[in-house]
Amino acid sequence: MILIEAESFEHPGGWVVDQQFMDQMGSPFLMAHGLGTPVEDASTRVEFDQPGSYHVWVRTRDWAAPWKSAEELAQPKLEHCPGRFQLLVNQIPAPAIFGTERADWHWQYGGQVMVQKGLNTLTLRDLTGFNGRCDAIIFSQESDTKLPDSGEELLQLRRKLSGNDGPPQFAGKFDLVVAGGGIAGICTAVSAARLGLKVALIHNRPVVGGNNSSEVRVQLGGKVNLPPYPQIGNIVNELDARQGQNARPAAEYKDYLKMGIVENEPNVSLFLNTQVTSCQVDNGTIKLVETMHILTGHRQVLEGTLFADCTGDANLGYLAGAEFRVGRESRSETGESIAPEDADMMTMGSSVMWYSVEEENAEFAFPETPWAVQFNDLTCQKARKGDWDWETGLGRDQIQEFEFIRDYALRAIFGNWSYLKNKSYLKEDFKNRRLEWVAYIAGKRESRRLIGDVILQQQHIDDKAEFPDASVTTTWSIDLHHPKIIPDFPEEPFRARCVKTKIEPYAIPYRCLYSRNISNLFMAGRNISVTHVALGTVRVMKTTGMMGEVVGMAASVCIRNNALPRDVYERFLDELTDQFKSGVPSVYSDSLKI
């Protein structure tokens, strides 16, 4: 058998690499995100020792199938399969059209193809522009080849056939290993590095920045450089693109600025396109993490004295066995007036934002989308842009169901746009408009929250409770999202509304920023130790960036004193607060702080 991982194609063309669901489905994959126009072919070369006829399988799925009726699944129609694509071998298509069968990831049989001895060219040809997805391709001369669809058996098959089944390579020992390169992760890594630590920053995308990158395009919310420690926020200022809107052109989010700040730190080793896949824990202490390169499958191990989980989803903490919570606590448990009467698994959702542009003297067609959410003149959204409130998955599992959540957002966006362009009473108003950008990396707000020695809750903020380890000052309102109900709409909500409760600026305890049961694990970002209600105020990115600065400072105290995060509070708090007062060295002058 010969395996080709799609994400390793030499020339991805217009296909994009999507890694958001690899912990659930086992791999990143290539996706044809063409906004209704077929994308440029992806191609690669593969060497065969034996020429002749081969059977071919492609791991793929019909991504619209979860919303199809039993009748539609029993009698599938190609036009109802949005992710159709072909595999060509030396420019000759395989017999099958892929992405047309099951809802789950599986090996779709493609028939027999002829290959020549030596190098052969494989091509992925998108047929729709609507998010066809290819995970991997297998060739075999045996027709009865049995291929596992998921699980450990598939993982081991991948490693064996790709040559990545040996021991992982040692990538170094670090004072601090940071998982997650969003704003919180950048600030954690840079803060620690400027204070003399040897730092590894691991990020599973090609650019850092997370929700503030050009891939997601969310503005930086919150304020910095506030009492009690006005020097906290200096690094956030350095990476701030001074851009105050969501869903704008890519250049406005200045990926180069954030990348440059990280790449110019001599004490930071940056591991892009790299996913943390496992970790070794000994008596409640993380010893090392194992990673996988998303494009090559190459595996490495990184040893660390300290670790910081800045992944948002608390992936590292979860792998390490850190205590965590998901969902809403009950009012009787926390005493919070905003909390629901009963605890549940409700979380805020994820946003897939988008925008359109208008061009005079040009008309733009858009395909019919029978597989998408269906609208009428009463339910369609008369929108030229989708902001934060195009939010899906409220109440769903934001980790295990995340591909469903993202895909439902795509069905809503494309279905709504198709209706506006083709059937709406407003179609004349939209004839000169075209979709310019639709995110495929969803902006997530809430999933796991790691538990620290203090769990911040509403009363602390309302009563301005004073903690000796006060650190980052949060300024955003308690901003909680709920589904927006559209009357007579037949599917689940895809829009959200926010309910805001004003607060006075409040300093978060340092003890919310480290795990209570994993001794050397910090956290910064939306995964810190807060209730669902308190998350509403701490989750915006200028605030999470300041958390990163604080974690970097605390890590430097740990290394200087051969201490652990809890020891900093119990034995070295004065040293930490002195660091808060002086802040982290900045390349910007005070005059540029905002």
Side-chain angles (χ1 to χ4, degrees), residues 57-88:
W57 291 262
V58 173
R59 191 165 187 257
T60 184
R61 61 185 296 250
D62 172 9
W63 69 266
W67 294 275
K68 293 180 179 178
S69 67
E71 181 180 353
E72 289 176 303
L73 292 173
Q75 298 179 334
K77 298 178 181 179
L78 282 182
E79 63 269 24
H80 288 201
C81 300
R84 305 188 301 276
F85 65 96
Q86 292 176 300
L87 171 67
L88 288 73

PDB file of all heavy atoms in Angstrom, residues 57-88:
ATOM      1  N   TRP A  57      -8.394   4.488  -2.750  1.00  0.00           N
ATOM      2  CA  TRP A  57      -9.358   4.942  -1.743  1.00  0.00           C
ATOM      3  C   TRP A  57      -8.983   6.356  -1.316  1.00  0.00           C
ATOM      4  O   TRP A  57      -7.796   6.685  -1.189  1.00  0.00           O
ATOM      5  CB  TRP A  57      -9.343   4.047  -0.505  1.00  0.00           C
ATOM      6  CG  TRP A  57      -9.881   2.661  -0.706  1.00  0.00           C
ATOM      7  CD1 TRP A  57     -11.138   2.224  -0.414  1.00  0.00           C
ATOM      8  CD2 TRP A  57      -9.171   1.520  -1.204  1.00  0.00           C
ATOM      9  NE1 TRP A  57     -11.266   0.886  -0.706  1.00  0.00           N
ATOM     10  CE2 TRP A  57     -10.070   0.427  -1.198  1.00  0.00           C
ATOM     11  CE3 TRP A  57      -7.874   1.326  -1.669  1.00  0.00           C
ATOM     12  CZ2 TRP A  57      -9.711  -0.839  -1.620  1.00  0.00           C
ATOM     13  CZ3 TRP A  57      -7.506   0.060  -2.102  1.00  0.00           C
ATOM     14  CH2 TRP A  57      -8.418  -1.007  -2.079  1.00  0.00           C
ATOM     15  N   VAL A  58      -9.984   7.176  -1.063  1.00  0.00           N
ATOM     16  CA  VAL A  58      -9.769   8.539  -0.570  1.00  0.00           C
ATOM     17  C   VAL A  58     -10.536   8.696   0.736  1.00  0.00           C
ATOM     18  O   VAL A  58     -11.739   8.397   0.798  1.00  0.00           O
ATOM     19  CB  VAL A  58     -10.236   9.588  -1.603  1.00  0.00           C
ATOM     20  CG1 VAL A  58     -10.177  10.990  -1.001  1.00  0.00           C
ATOM     21  CG2 VAL A  58      -9.373   9.513  -2.859  1.00  0.00           C
ATOM     22  N   ARG A  59      -9.853   9.157   1.771  1.00  0.00           N
ATOM     23  CA  ARG A  59     -10.548   9.402   3.046  1.00  0.00           C
ATOM     24  C   ARG A  59     -11.197  10.781   2.965  1.00  0.00           C
ATOM     25  O   ARG A  59     -10.519  11.801   2.862  1.00  0.00           O
ATOM     26  CB  ARG A  59      -9.590   9.307   4.230  1.00  0.00           C
ATOM     27  CG  ARG A  59     -10.339   9.289   5.585  1.00  0.00           C
ATOM     28  CD  ARG A  59      -9.438   8.833   6.722  1.00  0.00           C
ATOM     29  NE  ARG A  59     -10.183   8.663   7.955  1.00  0.00           N
ATOM     30  CZ  ARG A  59     -10.178   9.529   8.973  1.00  0.00           C
ATOM     31  NH1 ARG A  59      -9.428  10.623   8.906  1.00  0.00           N
ATOM     32  NH2 ARG A  59     -10.894   9.306  10.059  1.00  0.00           N
ATOM     33  N   THR A  60     -12.506  10.786   3.022  1.00  0.00           N
ATOM     34  CA  THR A  60     -13.277  12.001   2.803  1.00  0.00           C
ATOM     35  C   THR A  60     -14.631  11.843   3.476  1.00  0.00           C
ATOM     36  O   THR A  60     -14.851  10.892   4.233  1.00  0.00           O
ATOM     37  CB  THR A  60     -13.423  12.279   1.287  1.00  0.00           C
ATOM     38  OG1 THR A  60     -14.093  13.524   1.097  1.00  0.00           O
ATOM     39  CG2 THR A  60     -14.181  11.159   0.588  1.00  0.00           C
ATOM     40  N   ARG A  61     -15.545  12.753   3.191  1.00  0.00           N
ATOM     41  CA  ARG A  61     -16.909  12.664   3.711  1.00  0.00           C
ATOM     42  C   ARG A  61     -17.812  13.598   2.921  1.00  0.00           C
ATOM     43  O   ARG A  61     -17.330  14.545   2.287  1.00  0.00           O
ATOM     44  CB  ARG A  61     -16.967  13.021   5.205  1.00  0.00           C
ATOM     45  CG  ARG A  61     -16.526  14.429   5.544  1.00  0.00           C
ATOM     46  CD  ARG A  61     -16.490  14.671   7.049  1.00  0.00           C
ATOM     47  NE  ARG A  61     -17.807  14.579   7.636  1.00  0.00           N
ATOM     48  CZ  ARG A  61     -18.482  15.619   8.129  1.00  0.00           C
ATOM     49  NH1 ARG A  61     -17.953  16.832   8.094  1.00  0.00           N
ATOM     50  NH2 ARG A  61     -19.674  15.458   8.643  1.00  0.00           N
ATOM     51  N   ASP A  62     -19.097  13.328   2.975  1.00  0.00           N
ATOM     52  CA  ASP A  62     -20.097  14.267   2.485  1.00  0.00           C
ATOM     53  C   ASP A  62     -20.452  15.160   3.659  1.00  0.00           C
ATOM     54  O   ASP A  62     -21.229  14.780   4.535  1.00  0.00           O
ATOM     55  CB  ASP A  62     -21.323  13.520   1.957  1.00  0.00           C
ATOM     56  CG  ASP A  62     -22.480  14.455   1.607  1.00  0.00           C
ATOM     57  OD1 ASP A  62     -22.281  15.686   1.606  1.00  0.00           O
ATOM     58  OD2 ASP A  62     -23.580  13.949   1.335  1.00  0.00           O
ATOM     59  N   TRP A  63     -19.898  16.351   3.689  1.00  0.00           N
ATOM     60  CA  TRP A  63     -20.015  17.160   4.904  1.00  0.00           C
ATOM     61  C   TRP A  63     -21.423  17.710   5.135  1.00  0.00           C
ATOM     62  O   TRP A  63     -21.744  18.136   6.260  1.00  0.00           O
ATOM     63  CB  TRP A  63     -18.976  18.273   4.912  1.00  0.00           C
ATOM     64  CG  TRP A  63     -19.147  19.383   3.896  1.00  0.00           C
ATOM     65  CD1 TRP A  63     -18.579  19.459   2.669  1.00  0.00           C
ATOM     66  CD2 TRP A  63     -19.899  20.591   4.072  1.00  0.00           C
ATOM     67  NE1 TRP A  63     -18.930  20.634   2.049  1.00  0.00           N
ATOM     68  CE2 TRP A  63     -19.738  21.352   2.886  1.00  0.00           C
ATOM     69  CE3 TRP A  63     -20.675  21.110   5.096  1.00  0.00           C
ATOM     70  CZ2 TRP A  63     -20.331  22.590   2.699  1.00  0.00           C
ATOM     71  CZ3 TRP A  63     -21.280  22.346   4.922  1.00  0.00           C
ATOM     72  CH2 TRP A  63     -21.102  23.083   3.734  1.00  0.00           C
ATOM     73  N   ALA A  64     -22.280  17.690   4.111  1.00  0.00           N
ATOM     74  CA  ALA A  64     -23.667  18.130   4.305  1.00  0.00           C
ATOM     75  C   ALA A  64     -24.583  17.002   4.763  1.00  0.00           C
ATOM     76  O   ALA A  64     -25.746  17.246   5.106  1.00  0.00           O
ATOM     77  CB  ALA A  64     -24.210  18.731   3.009  1.00  0.00           C
ATOM     78  N   ALA A  65     -24.076  15.770   4.780  1.00  0.00           N
ATOM     79  CA  ALA A  65     -24.920  14.617   5.098  1.00  0.00           C
ATOM     80  C   ALA A  65     -25.545  14.658   6.492  1.00  0.00           C
ATOM     81  O   ALA A  65     -26.649  14.132   6.674  1.00  0.00           O
ATOM     82  CB  ALA A  65     -24.126  13.324   4.913  1.00  0.00           C
ATOM     83  N   PRO A  66     -24.909  15.248   7.527  1.00  0.00           N
ATOM     84  CA  PRO A  66     -25.567  15.251   8.842  1.00  0.00           C
ATOM     85  C   PRO A  66     -26.929  15.934   8.845  1.00  0.00           C
ATOM     86  O   PRO A  66     -27.731  15.698   9.757  1.00  0.00           O
ATOM     87  CB  PRO A  66     -24.566  16.014   9.722  1.00  0.00           C
ATOM     88  CG  PRO A  66     -23.248  15.758   9.088  1.00  0.00           C
ATOM     89  CD  PRO A  66     -23.530  15.757   7.616  1.00  0.00           C
ATOM     90  N   TRP A  67     -27.218  16.752   7.858  1.00  0.00           N
ATOM     91  CA  TRP A  67     -28.490  17.461   7.814  1.00  0.00           C
ATOM     92  C   TRP A  67     -29.476  16.848   6.812  1.00  0.00           C
ATOM     93  O   TRP A  67     -30.534  17.410   6.578  1.00  0.00           O
ATOM     94  CB  TRP A  67     -28.244  18.935   7.474  1.00  0.00           C
ATOM     95  CG  TRP A  67     -27.497  19.635   8.552  1.00  0.00           C
ATOM     96  CD1 TRP A  67     -28.010  20.218   9.680  1.00  0.00           C
ATOM     97  CD2 TRP A  67     -26.083  19.822   8.632  1.00  0.00           C
ATOM     98  NE1 TRP A  67     -27.010  20.759  10.446  1.00  0.00           N
ATOM     99  CE2 TRP A  67     -25.809  20.540   9.828  1.00  0.00           C
ATOM    100  CE3 TRP A  67     -25.018  19.471   7.806  1.00  0.00           C
ATOM    101  CZ2 TRP A  67     -24.516  20.888  10.199  1.00  0.00           C
ATOM    102  CZ3 TRP A  67     -23.732  19.823   8.183  1.00  0.00           C
ATOM    103  CH2 TRP A  67     -23.488  20.523   9.378  1.00  0.00           C
ATOM    104  N   LYS A  68     -29.121  15.727   6.222  1.00  0.00           N
ATOM    105  CA  LYS A  68     -29.988  15.115   5.224  1.00  0.00           C
ATOM    106  C   LYS A  68     -30.974  14.151   5.867  1.00  0.00           C
ATOM    107  O   LYS A  68     -30.684  13.531   6.887  1.00  0.00           O
ATOM    108  CB  LYS A  68     -29.146  14.390   4.165  1.00  0.00           C
ATOM    109  CG  LYS A  68     -28.308  15.335   3.309  1.00  0.00           C
ATOM    110  CD  LYS A  68     -27.485  14.582   2.280  1.00  0.00           C
ATOM    111  CE  LYS A  68     -26.678  15.545   1.429  1.00  0.00           C
ATOM    112  NZ  LYS A  68     -25.823  14.849   0.428  1.00  0.00           N
ATOM    113  N   SER A  69     -32.123  14.015   5.241  1.00  0.00           N
ATOM    114  CA  SER A  69     -33.128  13.066   5.711  1.00  0.00           C
ATOM    115  C   SER A  69     -32.704  11.648   5.353  1.00  0.00           C
ATOM    116  O   SER A  69     -31.810  11.431   4.527  1.00  0.00           O
ATOM    117  CB  SER A  69     -34.478  13.376   5.057  1.00  0.00           C
ATOM    118  OG  SER A  69     -34.418  13.118   3.654  1.00  0.00           O
ATOM    119  N   ALA A  70     -33.372  10.689   5.966  1.00  0.00           N
ATOM    120  CA  ALA A  70     -33.086   9.288   5.667  1.00  0.00           C
ATOM    121  C   ALA A  70     -33.322   8.992   4.189  1.00  0.00           C
ATOM    122  O   ALA A  70     -32.581   8.230   3.556  1.00  0.00           O
ATOM    123  CB  ALA A  70     -33.948   8.384   6.546  1.00  0.00           C
ATOM    124  N   GLU A  71     -34.345   9.618   3.617  1.00  0.00           N
ATOM    125  CA  GLU A  71     -34.641   9.416   2.195  1.00  0.00           C
ATOM    126  C   GLU A  71     -33.520   9.972   1.324  1.00  0.00           C
ATOM    127  O   GLU A  71     -33.110   9.332   0.343  1.00  0.00           O
ATOM    128  CB  GLU A  71     -35.964  10.085   1.838  1.00  0.00           C
ATOM    129  CG  GLU A  71     -36.365   9.908   0.373  1.00  0.00           C
ATOM    130  CD  GLU A  71     -37.678  10.576   0.044  1.00  0.00           C
ATOM    131  OE1 GLU A  71     -38.349  11.068   0.986  1.00  0.00           O
ATOM    132  OE2 GLU A  71     -38.031  10.636  -1.138  1.00  0.00           O
ATOM    133  N   GLU A  72     -33.007  11.157   1.681  1.00  0.00           N
ATOM    134  CA  GLU A  72     -31.915  11.738   0.904  1.00  0.00           C
ATOM    135  C   GLU A  72     -30.656  10.894   1.005  1.00  0.00           C
ATOM    136  O   GLU A  72     -29.904  10.767   0.030  1.00  0.00           O
ATOM    137  CB  GLU A  72     -31.628  13.159   1.399  1.00  0.00           C
ATOM    138  CG  GLU A  72     -32.690  14.176   1.048  1.00  0.00           C
ATOM    139  CD  GLU A  72     -32.386  15.535   1.656  1.00  0.00           C
ATOM    140  OE1 GLU A  72     -32.247  15.608   2.894  1.00  0.00           O
ATOM    141  OE2 GLU A  72     -32.282  16.512   0.899  1.00  0.00           O
ATOM    142  N   LEU A  73     -30.403  10.332   2.174  1.00  0.00           N
ATOM    143  CA  LEU A  73     -29.222   9.487   2.337  1.00  0.00           C
ATOM    144  C   LEU A  73     -29.364   8.187   1.560  1.00  0.00           C
ATOM    145  O   LEU A  73     -28.378   7.659   1.040  1.00  0.00           O
ATOM    146  CB  LEU A  73     -29.000   9.203   3.818  1.00  0.00           C
ATOM    147  CG  LEU A  73     -28.588  10.405   4.687  1.00  0.00           C
ATOM    148  CD1 LEU A  73     -28.576  10.023   6.158  1.00  0.00           C
ATOM    149  CD2 LEU A  73     -27.229  10.946   4.270  1.00  0.00           C
ATOM    150  N   ALA A  74     -30.596   7.667   1.482  1.00  0.00           N
ATOM    151  CA  ALA A  74     -30.822   6.405   0.766  1.00  0.00           C
ATOM    152  C   ALA A  74     -30.745   6.597  -0.739  1.00  0.00           C
ATOM    153  O   ALA A  74     -30.329   5.691  -1.474  1.00  0.00           O
ATOM    154  CB  ALA A  74     -32.176   5.825   1.162  1.00  0.00           C
ATOM    155  N   GLN A  75     -31.164   7.776  -1.222  1.00  0.00           N
ATOM    156  CA  GLN A  75     -31.145   8.066  -2.656  1.00  0.00           C
ATOM    157  C   GLN A  75     -30.406   9.396  -2.885  1.00  0.00           C
ATOM    158  O   GLN A  75     -31.014  10.420  -3.159  1.00  0.00           O
ATOM    159  CB  GLN A  75     -32.565   8.145  -3.207  1.00  0.00           C
ATOM    160  CG  GLN A  75     -33.335   6.839  -3.075  1.00  0.00           C
ATOM    161  CD  GLN A  75     -34.758   6.957  -3.600  1.00  0.00           C
ATOM    162  OE1 GLN A  75     -35.352   8.032  -3.627  1.00  0.00           O
ATOM    163  NE2 GLN A  75     -35.312   5.838  -4.022  1.00  0.00           N
ATOM    164  N   PRO A  76     -29.093   9.367  -2.729  1.00  0.00           N
ATOM    165  CA  PRO A  76     -28.332  10.620  -2.787  1.00  0.00           C
ATOM    166  C   PRO A  76     -28.362  11.255  -4.170  1.00  0.00           C
ATOM    167  O   PRO A  76     -28.401  10.560  -5.196  1.00  0.00           O
ATOM    168  CB  PRO A  76     -26.915  10.173  -2.412  1.00  0.00           C
ATOM    169  CG  PRO A  76     -26.864   8.718  -2.748  1.00  0.00           C
ATOM    170  CD  PRO A  76     -28.233   8.192  -2.516  1.00  0.00           C
ATOM    171  N   LYS A  77     -28.380  12.581  -4.177  1.00  0.00           N
ATOM    172  CA  LYS A  77     -28.301  13.356  -5.409  1.00  0.00           C
ATOM    173  C   LYS A  77     -26.976  14.117  -5.400  1.00  0.00           C
ATOM    174  O   LYS A  77     -26.635  14.757  -4.412  1.00  0.00           O
ATOM    175  CB  LYS A  77     -29.464  14.336  -5.504  1.00  0.00           C
ATOM    176  CG  LYS A  77     -30.837  13.692  -5.536  1.00  0.00           C
ATOM    177  CD  LYS A  77     -31.931  14.757  -5.587  1.00  0.00           C
ATOM    178  CE  LYS A  77     -33.312  14.125  -5.605  1.00  0.00           C
ATOM    179  NZ  LYS A  77     -34.391  15.161  -5.627  1.00  0.00           N
ATOM    180  N   LEU A  78     -26.246  14.044  -6.496  1.00  0.00           N
ATOM    181  CA  LEU A  78     -24.936  14.692  -6.542  1.00  0.00           C
ATOM    182  C   LEU A  78     -25.024  16.179  -6.247  1.00  0.00           C
ATOM    183  O   LEU A  78     -24.163  16.744  -5.575  1.00  0.00           O
ATOM    184  CB  LEU A  78     -24.282  14.467  -7.909  1.00  0.00           C
ATOM    185  CG  LEU A  78     -23.644  13.101  -8.162  1.00  0.00           C
ATOM    186  CD1 LEU A  78     -23.007  13.071  -9.539  1.00  0.00           C
ATOM    187  CD2 LEU A  78     -22.613  12.769  -7.092  1.00  0.00           C
ATOM    188  N   GLU A  79     -26.086  16.828  -6.743  1.00  0.00           N
ATOM    189  CA  GLU A  79     -26.190  18.277  -6.533  1.00  0.00           C
ATOM    190  C   GLU A  79     -26.436  18.638  -5.069  1.00  0.00           C
ATOM    191  O   GLU A  79     -26.306  19.801  -4.684  1.00  0.00           O
ATOM    192  CB  GLU A  79     -27.293  18.873  -7.406  1.00  0.00           C
ATOM    193  CG  GLU A  79     -28.693  18.375  -7.104  1.00  0.00           C
ATOM    194  CD  GLU A  79     -29.088  17.162  -7.924  1.00  0.00           C
ATOM    195  OE1 GLU A  79     -28.185  16.418  -8.379  1.00  0.00           O
ATOM    196  OE2 GLU A  79     -30.302  16.938  -8.112  1.00  0.00           O
ATOM    197  N   HIS A  80     -26.768  17.651  -4.261  1.00  0.00           N
ATOM    198  CA  HIS A  80     -26.954  17.873  -2.830  1.00  0.00           C
ATOM    199  C   HIS A  80     -25.684  17.531  -2.036  1.00  0.00           C
ATOM    200  O   HIS A  80     -25.720  17.518  -0.810  1.00  0.00           O
ATOM    201  CB  HIS A  80     -28.131  17.059  -2.312  1.00  0.00           C
ATOM    202  CG  HIS A  80     -29.455  17.595  -2.766  1.00  0.00           C
ATOM    203  ND1 HIS A  80     -30.637  17.309  -2.108  1.00  0.00           N
ATOM    204  CD2 HIS A  80     -29.804  18.404  -3.797  1.00  0.00           C
ATOM    205  CE1 HIS A  80     -31.639  17.902  -2.729  1.00  0.00           C
ATOM    206  NE2 HIS A  80     -31.154  18.576  -3.762  1.00  0.00           N
ATOM    207  N   CYS A  81     -24.600  17.260  -2.726  1.00  0.00           N
ATOM    208  CA  CYS A  81     -23.307  16.968  -2.096  1.00  0.00           C
ATOM    209  C   CYS A  81     -22.358  18.119  -2.430  1.00  0.00           C
ATOM    210  O   CYS A  81     -21.756  18.150  -3.513  1.00  0.00           O
ATOM    211  CB  CYS A  81     -22.734  15.652  -2.605  1.00  0.00           C
ATOM    212  SG  CYS A  81     -23.792  14.212  -2.297  1.00  0.00           S
ATOM    213  N   PRO A  82     -22.218  19.091  -1.547  1.00  0.00           N
ATOM    214  CA  PRO A  82     -21.480  20.307  -1.900  1.00  0.00           C
ATOM    215  C   PRO A  82     -19.983  20.117  -2.057  1.00  0.00           C
ATOM    216  O   PRO A  82     -19.320  20.914  -2.731  1.00  0.00           O
ATOM    217  CB  PRO A  82     -21.780  21.251  -0.739  1.00  0.00           C
ATOM    218  CG  PRO A  82     -22.081  20.335   0.409  1.00  0.00           C
ATOM    219  CD  PRO A  82     -22.790  19.166  -0.193  1.00  0.00           C
ATOM    220  N   GLY A  83     -19.421  19.071  -1.453  1.00  0.00           N
ATOM    221  CA  GLY A  83     -17.971  18.924  -1.436  1.00  0.00           C
ATOM    222  C   GLY A  83     -17.427  17.961  -2.473  1.00  0.00           C
ATOM    223  O   GLY A  83     -16.479  17.222  -2.207  1.00  0.00           O
ATOM    224  N   ARG A  84     -17.976  17.964  -3.668  1.00  0.00           N
ATOM    225  CA  ARG A  84     -17.563  16.994  -4.687  1.00  0.00           C
ATOM    226  C   ARG A  84     -16.205  17.371  -5.278  1.00  0.00           C
ATOM    227  O   ARG A  84     -15.917  18.541  -5.534  1.00  0.00           O
ATOM    228  CB  ARG A  84     -18.589  16.931  -5.821  1.00  0.00           C
ATOM    229  CG  ARG A  84     -19.994  16.629  -5.347  1.00  0.00           C
ATOM    230  CD  ARG A  84     -20.944  16.372  -6.500  1.00  0.00           C
ATOM    231  NE  ARG A  84     -21.068  17.477  -7.439  1.00  0.00           N
ATOM    232  CZ  ARG A  84     -21.874  18.526  -7.276  1.00  0.00           C
ATOM    233  NH1 ARG A  84     -22.588  18.645  -6.166  1.00  0.00           N
ATOM    234  NH2 ARG A  84     -21.942  19.457  -8.213  1.00  0.00           N
ATOM    235  N   PHE A  85     -15.389  16.338  -5.495  1.00  0.00           N
ATOM    236  CA  PHE A  85     -14.096  16.565  -6.141  1.00  0.00           C
ATOM    237  C   PHE A  85     -13.640  15.285  -6.833  1.00  0.00           C
ATOM    238  O   PHE A  85     -14.171  14.201  -6.591  1.00  0.00           O
ATOM    239  CB  PHE A  85     -13.041  17.051  -5.140  1.00  0.00           C
ATOM    240  CG  PHE A  85     -12.678  16.056  -4.062  1.00  0.00           C
ATOM    241  CD1 PHE A  85     -11.557  15.229  -4.194  1.00  0.00           C
ATOM    242  CD2 PHE A  85     -13.425  15.951  -2.904  1.00  0.00           C
ATOM    243  CE1 PHE A  85     -11.216  14.321  -3.210  1.00  0.00           C
ATOM    244  CE2 PHE A  85     -13.098  15.050  -1.895  1.00  0.00           C
ATOM    245  CZ  PHE A  85     -11.988  14.225  -2.058  1.00  0.00           C
ATOM    246  N   GLN A  86     -12.636  15.437  -7.692  1.00  0.00           N
ATOM    247  CA  GLN A  86     -12.052  14.306  -8.412  1.00  0.00           C
ATOM    248  C   GLN A  86     -10.600  14.114  -7.995  1.00  0.00           C
ATOM    249  O   GLN A  86      -9.921  15.072  -7.581  1.00  0.00           O
ATOM    250  CB  GLN A  86     -12.090  14.551  -9.923  1.00  0.00           C
ATOM    251  CG  GLN A  86     -13.472  14.562 -10.546  1.00  0.00           C
ATOM    252  CD  GLN A  86     -13.398  14.906 -12.019  1.00  0.00           C
ATOM    253  OE1 GLN A  86     -12.920  15.973 -12.391  1.00  0.00           O
ATOM    254  NE2 GLN A  86     -13.868  13.996 -12.864  1.00  0.00           N
ATOM    255  N   LEU A  87     -10.128  12.890  -8.153  1.00  0.00           N
ATOM    256  CA  LEU A  87      -8.707  12.567  -8.069  1.00  0.00           C
ATOM    257  C   LEU A  87      -8.246  12.166  -9.458  1.00  0.00           C
ATOM    258  O   LEU A  87      -8.828  11.256 -10.073  1.00  0.00           O
ATOM    259  CB  LEU A  87      -8.469  11.429  -7.080  1.00  0.00           C
ATOM    260  CG  LEU A  87      -7.044  10.856  -7.077  1.00  0.00           C
ATOM    261  CD1 LEU A  87      -6.043  11.890  -6.549  1.00  0.00           C
ATOM    262  CD2 LEU A  87      -6.972   9.573  -6.265  1.00  0.00           C
ATOM    263  N   LEU A  88      -7.226  12.834  -9.953  1.00  0.00           N
ATOM    264  CA  LEU A  88      -6.664  12.512 -11.263  1.00  0.00           C
ATOM    265  C   LEU A  88      -5.275  11.913 -11.078  1.00  0.00           C
ATOM    266  O   LEU A  88      -4.479  12.404 -10.257  1.00  0.00           O
ATOM    267  CB  LEU A  88      -6.561  13.760 -12.148  1.00  0.00           C
ATOM    268  CG  LEU A  88      -7.859  14.358 -12.702  1.00  0.00           C
ATOM    269  CD1 LEU A  88      -8.655  15.077 -11.620  1.00  0.00           C
ATOM    270  CD2 LEU A  88      -7.538  15.339 -13.832  1.00  0.00           C
TER     271      LEU A  88
END
